[in-house]
Amino acid sequence: MSTPSFASLTTLRVGGAPSALYECASAASLAETVAKLDRDRVPLLVVGGGSNLLVADGELDLAAVLVRNEGISLDDDLRLRAQAGTEWDAVVAYAVEHGLGGIEALSGIPGSAGATPVQNVGAYGAEIADVLTRVRLYNRETGADEWVDASSLDLAYRYSNLKFTSRAVVLEIELQLAETDVSIPLRHLGGERVPLAEARESVLATRRAKGMVLDAADHDTWSAGSFFTNPVVPSALADAIEAQVGEERMPRFPAGDGQEKLSAAWLIERAGCPRGFPGEGAPARLSTKHTLALTNRGSATAADIAALARRVQDQVRDAFGVELHPEPVWVGL
Ligand SMILES: Cc1cc2nc3c(=O)[nH]c(=O)nc-3n(C[C@H](O)[C@H](O)[C@H](O)COP(=O)(O)OP(=O)(O)OC[C@H]3O[C@@H](n4cnc5c(N)ncnc54)[C@H](O)[C@@H]3O)c2cc1C
């Protein structure tokens, strides 16, 4: 049997062939596999659901280590533990079914439980940092298999010290949930709190409308989700952009220290890249449902996705002097 390519391991469905593939169905085999490859100095990439990865085309000198250890448990203090390879949305469904609140707003985010701390996933007013208490890590520098406090991960907006560093592998996560009838305040409902199951359905429906729930039949979901983080800029630059565009209200949010967070999608559209950009026929395009998602229309390569990303970055930089930073992890590009 031939080794599957990264195109079959990632939601952007691009990327070449790994040098080898290791499927790890337990935390122990995951730690042991990574330890052995590290000892043998074999370059490797840990892959969960592949939903935040842009991997280069061609034959790659990179082994793929697939995180496939699954399982959910709950203790009397409502601490939920999930093995890293458990599908994240199955964790959310489990919590909601058990009347446990805290993660319902994170319904429908693709990928694995173990990847949620890596970029501190977030949506609709919640992020994993709100409930994450500990993670079990295999530390690639020391070889230790240990539970560490969430506070040691430097969790911030779409960031942790695990992202881009590959310093450790998440084997399990632990969340503190709470018994409740109602959801957290949901941003897309203007801060309203609704019954848990309703919150989950509402988030899923809103995400589906934006192509943010995976659907093999819908090319708008052949993506890595939002491709750029929302930029943080000095307030003076935000003022200048608002004056330049001349619209009544530009989305801008205080970010401390005279800085403000702007909407990457808003800037991209005003810089001349509307939904579907650059248009019919292009193998890689902005989603027709969500400006911030770069999508593979069926025949795109990693090079096509990267070229589109650079084109969007260039247009936003030229128009507004703002640098957009990719949210997914780029490998070999
Ligand atoms: C349609 C769509 C919608 C999305 N919506 C959102 C959203 O609303 N909010 C949001 O925050 N993100 C969103 N994303 C991005 C993505 O789903 C999340 O970042 C998710 O947590 C990635 O999980 P994964 O298992 O697919 O990670 P992968 O893509 O497999 O890996 C991502 C990175 O994490 C590393 N990694 C993976 N597993 C582990 C592990 N066990 N230990 C250590 N490192 C690991 C990988 O090496 C890689 O560097 C979306 C993506 C898509 C395709």
Side-chain angles (χ1 to χ4, degrees):
M1 202 179 74
S2 64
T3 308
S5 70
F6 280 105
S8 65
L9 297 171
T10 61
T11 55
L12 267 169
R13 302 184 188 223
V14 298
S19 57
L21 191 82
Y22 300 88
E23 262 194 80
C24 303
S26 69
S29 88
L30 182 53
E32 281 159 21
T33 302
V34 171
K36 171 148 186 12
L37 291 169
D38 281 347
R39 266 197 312 276
D40 295 346
R41 298 185 188 282
V42 176
L44 67 90
L45 179 66
V46 173
V47 181
S51 62
N52 214 31
L53 275 171
L54 173 57
V55 184
D57 305 306
E59 299 280 321
L60 300 165
D61 180 20
L62 192 67
V65 176
L66 305 187
V67 181
R68 297 293 182 257
N69 55 320
E70 292 180 28
I72 300 175
S73 65
L74 185 66
D75 72 14
D76 292 343
D77 296 322
L78 307 182
R79 276 186 299 249
L80 181 151
R81 284 191 186 173
Q83 297 282 323
T86 313
E87 186 192 7
W88 168 250
D89 196 49
V91 178
V92 181
Y94 177 97
V96 169
E97 274 160 27
H98 286 75
L100 300 173
I103 53 176
E104 57 280 1
L106 305 179
S107 292
I109 296 181
S112 60
T116 57
V118 174
Q119 73 153 3
N120 183 22
V121 297
Y124 303 104
E127 53 186 19
I128 195 75
D130 301 337
V131 290
L132 186 75
T133 46
R134 299 192 300 161
V135 289
R136 181 178 161 200
L137 294 182
Y138 168 69
N139 184 324
R140 293 175 68 186
E141 284 149 20
T142 64
D145 172 344
E146 59 195 353
W147 283 94
V148 302
D149 273 1
S151 59
S152 68
L153 300 178
D154 299 334
L155 296 165
Y157 166 62
R158 293 305 87 77
Y159 175 80
S160 80
N161 59 30
L162 300 170
K163 195 174 178 182
F164 306 124
T165 64
S166 309
R167 68 175 182 87
V169 182
V170 179
L171 304 176
E172 283 184 70
I173 63 169
E174 182 186 84
L175 313 176
Q176 180 66 63
L177 301 178
E179 264 170 4
T180 175
D181 294 329
V182 290
S183 69
I184 61 155
L186 295 171
R187 195 158 60 205
H188 71 295
L189 299 181
E192 205 186 322
R193 304 170 74 142
V194 299
L196 280 186
E198 194 180 319
R200 174 166 165 77
E201 284 317 311
S202 157
V203 167
L204 286 173
T206 304
R207 295 183 66 93
R208 271 192 207 103
K210 291 187 183 177
M212 285 289 113
V213 176
L214 294 180
D215 174 358
D218 180 359
H219 285 294
D220 276 328
T221 75
W222 291 29
S223 79
S226 298
F227 201 89
F228 299 104
T229 52
N230 290 321
V232 174
V233 303
S235 292
L237 180 55
D239 289 342
I241 295 170
E242 190 160 27
Q244 179 187 341
V245 175
E247 286 179 23
E248 206 164 291
R249 217 188 66 78
M250 174 177 83
R252 51 192 293 186
F253 310 93
D257 287 341
Q259 306 267 101
E260 289 181 51
K261 190 189 276 183
L262 305 185
S263 157
W266 190 92
L267 291 170
I268 290 169
E269 283 169 12
R270 270 73 187 170
C273 310
R275 291 180 189 179
F277 178 83
E280 286 295 320
R285 281 175 241 165
L286 298 187
S287 161
T288 66
K289 303 189 182 86
H290 183 41
T291 317
L292 213 43
L294 270 61
T295 62
N296 172 359
R297 308 316 292 188
S299 63
T301 60
D304 292 327
I305 301 285
L308 176 59
R310 293 193 178 106
R311 191 165 165 191
V312 170
Q313 283 173 313
D314 288 347
Q315 288 202 205
V316 170
R317 192 186 309 110
D318 291 349
F320 304 120
V322 174
E323 193 61 39
L324 291 183
H325 297 286
E327 183 186 299
V329 175
W330 293 38
V331 180
L333 280 143

